[in-house]
Amino acid sequence: MPNSSKVYISQLKDSVGQVVTLSGWLYNSRASGKIQFLIIRDGTGLCQCIVEKGKVPDELFEQLKHLGRESSLTVTGTVRQEARSVGGFEMALTDAKVVSPAADYPITPKSHGVDFLLKNRHLHLRSQRQWCIGKIRHTVIDAIRRFFNDNGFILIDTPILTSMVGEDKQTLFEVDYFGSPLYLTQTGQLHVESAAMSFGKVYCFGPTFRAEKSKTRRHLTEFWMVEPEVAFIDLDGLLELAENFVSFIADQVLQNNRGELETLGADLEALEKIKPPFYRLTYADAGDILAGEKAKKFLADQLEDLKKQKQQIENRIAELEEEQKGQIKQWKRDKNATELIELRSELNEVETRIENNPKHAKLAAEFEWGKDLGGSDETIISQMHDKPIFVTHYPKEAKAFYMKTDRDNEKVVLNFDLLAPAGFGEIIGGSVREDDYDLLAARITEFGLKVEDYSWYLDLRKYGSVPHGGFGLGVERTVAWLTGERHIRQCIPFPRMMDRVYI
RNA sequence: UCCCCGAUAGCUCAACUGGUAGAGCGAGCGGCUGUUAACCGCUAGGUUGUAGGUUCGAGUCCUACUCGGGGAGCCA
């Protein structure tokens, strides 16, 4: 290569008019006789490269014409502004060197099923959608650390191997630790509480493990969670912290990843709305909504809507199928076939929702004070709002032993869940912790746990106990919500699901 | 643990009430000087998840199993 400077695609705007060199992979290519369009990705973005016959050696022209997707290569050319090109810039090639040719790359620019993509996860990470999500996940994690670091919180690394049972032993992964059982942590909370008594404001951030047998789009067995814990704070203080925190994350993503959000088709307008204050409901309020006319009407309207949608899709399918039977041009026939495939998959989804709607309505109508809110209940509440919703003061019996009883109403605890709007559901769970030694010891016993096993945890209530609390935010759920990705398994590079680990 | 749905070409999907498997994409070859998941022509590509059953005949019906998807419970 001649003396051209090496640049990244993200910096092309500073190189207009100059001859530069890019290194990357062939994302896609189109040939049109004497001109070729190569889309190259280098990790920072996409760039269209123009290869004109006569401007490069004939041999190279032919080589590039037959180069497979995801071949690695280095290209040199002149950068120019070009509105028609992805990213707004393109490169007129004068030279290129294939580093390593690739053939038969399994992932094509057309649609693929989830199973296929997960089996090819190591390659799928290269595709646009995963790349955008990965960049946003990076911003989310960076925002999480920055928010706490800039607000006087100290990072505490809690153990991954633990003997403590935070919530329920059945949902823990057991590990053989030199002959005796130990568990993969499902929360750093208990440990982080002790650190809060030293530093005041702390947080832990790491992977967490749940052996829940949940096969849904919002579950992973291994996921990342950040858990702040603050001494001398009450429920209102926690809610305020949580809404500022979540708003900051959303704002950072909007500032740094607008392009990625657009590529993903995220709802930017909805994201702009994520600003304090969030909605505040008590568990009792939520119950009234669920069991009342409002939710009933909401779900009935939704069902009507879905049925209308279904009818429309079916009509269109019938129309197209009729057309396919007649005498039509081949290209029209192919186009219809593509549309039919899309419509059928849409229809499938709408039908599932129609099927689930009455079930969810029934569960909501059967709301009974004392039970925890179900996943579908949270979805309904979430769908009824356009901003995140706090649900507070759950019944004591539905929640963990460490949550502080409301001194004004002994039946409920000072806890909260934060539900993301538009049907995404829970992204945060948190509470004020029981800080009274005797009450906590009694709760431990009530839960069938041994007080001896929690002696160090109880010590925190023995030596200078203070009101304190915290919460846990799920990174993947947050990323899924912000990006509009329907399944959280797309929001972690290498997802672990129940009975299912690919690479 | 329970409920619903599915498995057909490398991928995404068709095949009306049982009649002998077809598109698009991808791959290969050719055409086209501005393409945007380009387009056009040709070629190759299948023991219809496995095992059994009903039938003159099974991708289609029945049974069991395997694998996958969605949801409930539980949760971030």
Side-chain angles (χ1 to χ4, degrees), chain A residues 213-227:
Chain A
K213 302 238 183 212
S214 300
K215 263 176 67 171
T216 82
R217 64 184 69 167
R218 5 174 244 288
H219 285 88
L220 293 169
T221 53
E222 176 182 313
F223 62 96
W224 284 65
M225 181 160 73
V226 58
E227 297 174 274

Side-chain angles (χ1 to χ4, degrees), chain A residues 393-410:
Chain A
H393 300 89
Y394 281 60
K396 189 155 74 172
E397 57 263 41
K399 288 292 167 185
F401 70 87
Y402 53 74
M403 293 188 182
K404 183 170 179 173
T405 308
D406 186 354
R407 304 300 193 249
D408 297 330
N409 178 1
E410 297 282 329

Side-chain angles (χ1 to χ4, degrees), chain A residues 116-266:
Chain A
F116 177 79
L117 289 175
L118 282 174
K119 279 178 178 148
N120 289 285
R121 189 64 175 177
H122 54 300
L123 302 175
H124 188 211
L125 291 179
R126 305 179 186 195
S127 66
Q128 264 307 276
R129 223 182 146 76
Q130 283 307 305
W131 182 80
C132 289
I133 292 172
K135 299 263 285 183
I136 290 170
R137 180 184 167 103
H138 173 81
T139 301
V140 167
I141 288 174
D142 185 57
I144 287 170
R145 294 189 189 285
R146 188 169 314 185
F147 179 86
F148 290 123
N149 292 343
D150 289 355
N151 283 286
F153 283 73
I154 299 297
L155 174 71
I156 299 298
D157 294 315
T158 50
I160 286 172
L161 291 168
T162 173
S163 58
M164 299 292 284
V165 176
E167 279 154 32
D168 180 10
K169 196 177 162 184
Q170 294 215 312
T171 64
L172 289 165
F173 285 108
E174 197 174 302
V175 179
D176 176 35
Y177 192 75
F178 302 114
S180 40
L182 222 50
Y183 308 98
L184 295 182
T185 183
Q186 61 173 343
T187 172
Q189 181 210 316
L190 273 52
H191 292 90
V192 96
E193 275 185 56
S194 64
M197 302 306 141
S198 170
F199 300 95
K201 296 200 280 187
V202 299
Y203 71 101
C204 66
F205 190 15
T208 203
F209 308 87
R210 305 270 167 100
E212 290 156 9
K213 302 238 183 212
S214 300
K215 263 176 67 171
T216 82
R217 64 184 69 167
R218 5 174 244 288
H219 285 88
L220 293 169
T221 53
E222 176 182 313
F223 62 96
W224 284 65
M225 181 160 73
V226 58
E227 297 174 274
E229 189 74 27
V230 182
F232 297 105
I233 198 166
D234 57 10
L235 186 59
D236 283 338
L238 279 175
L239 298 189
E240 206 175 305
L241 176 67
E243 66 190 357
N244 286 332
F245 173 54
V246 170
S247 302
F248 179 75
I249 295 172
D251 184 60
Q252 286 293 298
V253 171
L254 275 168
Q255 276 188 40
N256 296 302
N257 302 97
R258 201 163 266 276
E260 286 83 16
L261 288 169
E262 280 165 4
T263 303
L264 292 170

Side-chain angles (χ1 to χ4, degrees), chain A residues 12 16 67 104 108 119 146 162 177 220 232 277 288 324 343 350 378 381 469 499:
Chain A
L12 282 181
V16 175
L67 198 60
D104 301 325
T108 72
K119 279 178 178 148
R146 188 169 314 185
T162 173
Y177 192 75
L220 293 169
F232 297 105
D288 286 347
Q324 295 295 72
L343 286 169
V350 171
E378 289 179 346
I381 297 277
D499 297 336

